[in-house]
Amino acid sequence: MVLFIGVETRGYRLTAYSRSGESAILFDQYYPLDIDMGSMFDKENEIAYKLCEDIAFIEKKLGVKFKCFYMLCQNNHLVVRKIEVLKDSKRKDIDLVVDIEIMELLNLNKDRYRLIYKRGQVDENDMVYLEVCLFPNYLYSIVRAIEKNAKLRCKAIYSNYQLASHFIEAKDNYFALMEVREEDLVLTILEGDSIKSSIVVDQSYRDENFIAYLNSQGRILVFGDYRGQRFKDLIGSLTNMETLDDYRPNIYGKILAYKGQSLIGGKSKKGGLVDHYLESVRGSRLNIYMMRFMVLVLVLFILMGVRTLMDKRSLYRELEEARSQSISREASRTDRPKKIDKNIYGLDIIKVYEIHKKLGNTVKKMDYDKDRLLVDLELDDRSKVSGLRNDKLFDKASILSISKLEYYVEKEVERKKERKPDPGQDSQDQDGQNINTKLEDKYEIVKEKVKKKAYKYLVKLEIRN
């Protein structure tokens, strides 16, 4: 289900349109606005607040949640004119013509409007007609407020005159298209297959001069709200006209099915609809900066990608050259053992073998970490560490740590021990005392094990490849 918001001169119309089912329009109501037309530029927040309240009421009544909406708008503030310029006219030239022929003539404030135009065909004099639309900025503010507060997304903003001119065929058979609304009508004057001008006429359109003007010009196609008494009175007053039935249900369905191209840079495909909301987004200063930033990022991304691709190709060439050189060297060394100096992890196997051979049993542990070899040694003399530094094999070695450990070892030692007297070998002197016949046999040499303190040094070496 889609919500359509129709902004008219003195109010707005809310319509809930179903994409499926026989009753396409499930809700349709006109809401008058008690706001003076001259103050609408300063009261967009008040209008938006009232719209959000009415939308919430419709959602509650129908038991649905709208996700998006379309806005159809045309009132006395929306100005449509057809001007003629040179085919090569730039945007600033067109702005100047608009200022002279429209803004000054109608006494309009340029800051309150956004200029949108669509080019026609170039004639034989190298002139081109522009369908110029001055769109009031307060309608953009109302849409942004609805999106923020009602959590809806605006799909597009269309003017009533362009919908009629786009979806009605054989327009060249008519002088004008007339859409009758609740309190006013939209009169679109045609010039062949294009629009010459479009104006909004209020409820005083039953004026005799206005009716006489319409009857004197040509055939008119009338459509819109047929329920009002004003419409019936208007139909009875026109002498050369034709009615179009079920205009609004048909126009809503065609809008949802429309997949044409919107205006881009002031140009569009012939007959294409101009999305005023999209033009507002494109024309915002922030969006311009964002687009420029995105273009810059895209250019940098492309340059970085090209450079990365070139670097990869260069690496591939170097790899192929290295492989070819390696193959040629291996072919020339078939008469001698193949030297394998590194494994897949980058370890220099030959150097590891030489280091292990040099250090011998002092090596307790060897480990390889990334691009370095870690060796744990156990030395019994600290002076041997200095000897390692003087060895060319360890020119890239650095000592990470030296730990001194204290321990005890058992050693066999000899010492003299006094012998015990032997009665069989003793004699008496004149005083009756015993003496040893052999003085040298008084002591004996014995061996025994004792624990002695010793030191060892744990050295951690780092050897870079």
Side-chain angles (χ1 to χ4, degrees), residues 3 15 46 48 76 158 167 188 195 204 226 269 286 288 294 296 314 382 431:
L3 178 67
T15 305
E46 180 180 339
N76 289 333
Y158 296 126
F167 292 119
T188 302
I195 295 175
S204 63
Y226 301 96
K269 292 187 175 181
L286 177 61
I288 292 173
M294 290 175 64
L296 179 62
S314 177
R382 188 183 179 89
D431 298 327

Side-chain angles (χ1 to χ4, degrees), residues 256-411:
L256 296 177
Y258 176 69
K259 299 185 183 299
Q261 297 294 326
S262 295
L263 186 70
I264 300 176
K267 299 180 180 179
S268 68
K269 292 187 175 181
K270 186 178 180 181
L273 282 175
V274 177
D275 183 353
H276 297 282
Y277 183 72
L278 187 60
E279 286 303 304
S280 171
V281 174
R282 285 202 186 102
S284 65
R285 187 178 300 273
L286 177 61
N287 185 70
I288 292 173
Y289 291 152
M290 288 296 295
M291 289 296 295
R292 291 177 180 176
F293 176 74
M294 290 175 64
V295 171
L296 179 62
V297 171
L298 180 61
V299 171
L300 293 176
F301 180 77
I302 293 174
L303 292 177
M304 292 176 62
V306 171
R307 179 166 183 176
T308 302
L309 181 61
M310 294 176 64
D311 291 342
K312 285 184 177 180
R313 289 183 176 179
S314 177
L315 289 174
Y316 286 146
R317 286 196 298 268
E318 293 178 1
L319 180 60
E320 291 298 327
E321 291 177 0
R323 286 177 177 174
S324 61
Q325 293 176 4
S326 177
I327 292 173
S328 61
R329 286 198 301 267
E330 289 176 358
S332 62
R333 297 174 183 174
T334 53
D335 56 339
R336 57 182 177 178
K338 184 177 180 180
K339 180 181 178 182
I340 303 176
D341 56 349
K342 291 186 178 181
N343 62 7
I344 60 174
Y345 302 103
L347 180 62
D348 193 335
I349 300 175
I350 295 178
K351 189 172 184 179
V352 172
Y353 172 76
E354 292 177 352
I355 291 174
H356 193 278
K357 184 178 179 182
K358 182 77 175 181
L359 298 176
N361 294 331
T362 60
V363 177
K364 298 302 179 181
K365 182 181 178 182
M366 299 185 75
D367 191 12
Y368 185 74
D369 180 16
K370 294 183 179 178
D371 56 348
R372 61 176 184 170
L373 181 66
L374 301 175
V375 183
D376 292 347
L377 305 178
E378 186 179 288
L379 303 177
D380 56 0
D381 190 352
R382 188 183 179 89
S383 62
K384 293 181 180 180
V385 178
S386 300
L388 293 177
R389 294 179 176 177
N390 299 328
D391 197 316
K392 188 176 181 180
L393 187 61
F394 301 96
D395 56 347
K396 295 183 179 180
S398 59
I399 299 174
L400 298 180
S401 63
I402 300 177
S403 302
K404 182 179 179 181
L405 298 180
E406 180 181 298
Y407 67 101
Y408 290 89
V409 295
E410 288 187 347
K411 288 189 177 180

Side-chain angles (χ1 to χ4, degrees), residues 2 21 71 93 100 102 134 198 233 243 371 387 412 433:
V2 181
M71 178 174 280
D93 301 325
I100 296 174
I102 300 178
L134 295 176
S198 182
D233 295 340
T243 59
D371 56 348
E412 193 175 66
Q433 295 179 343

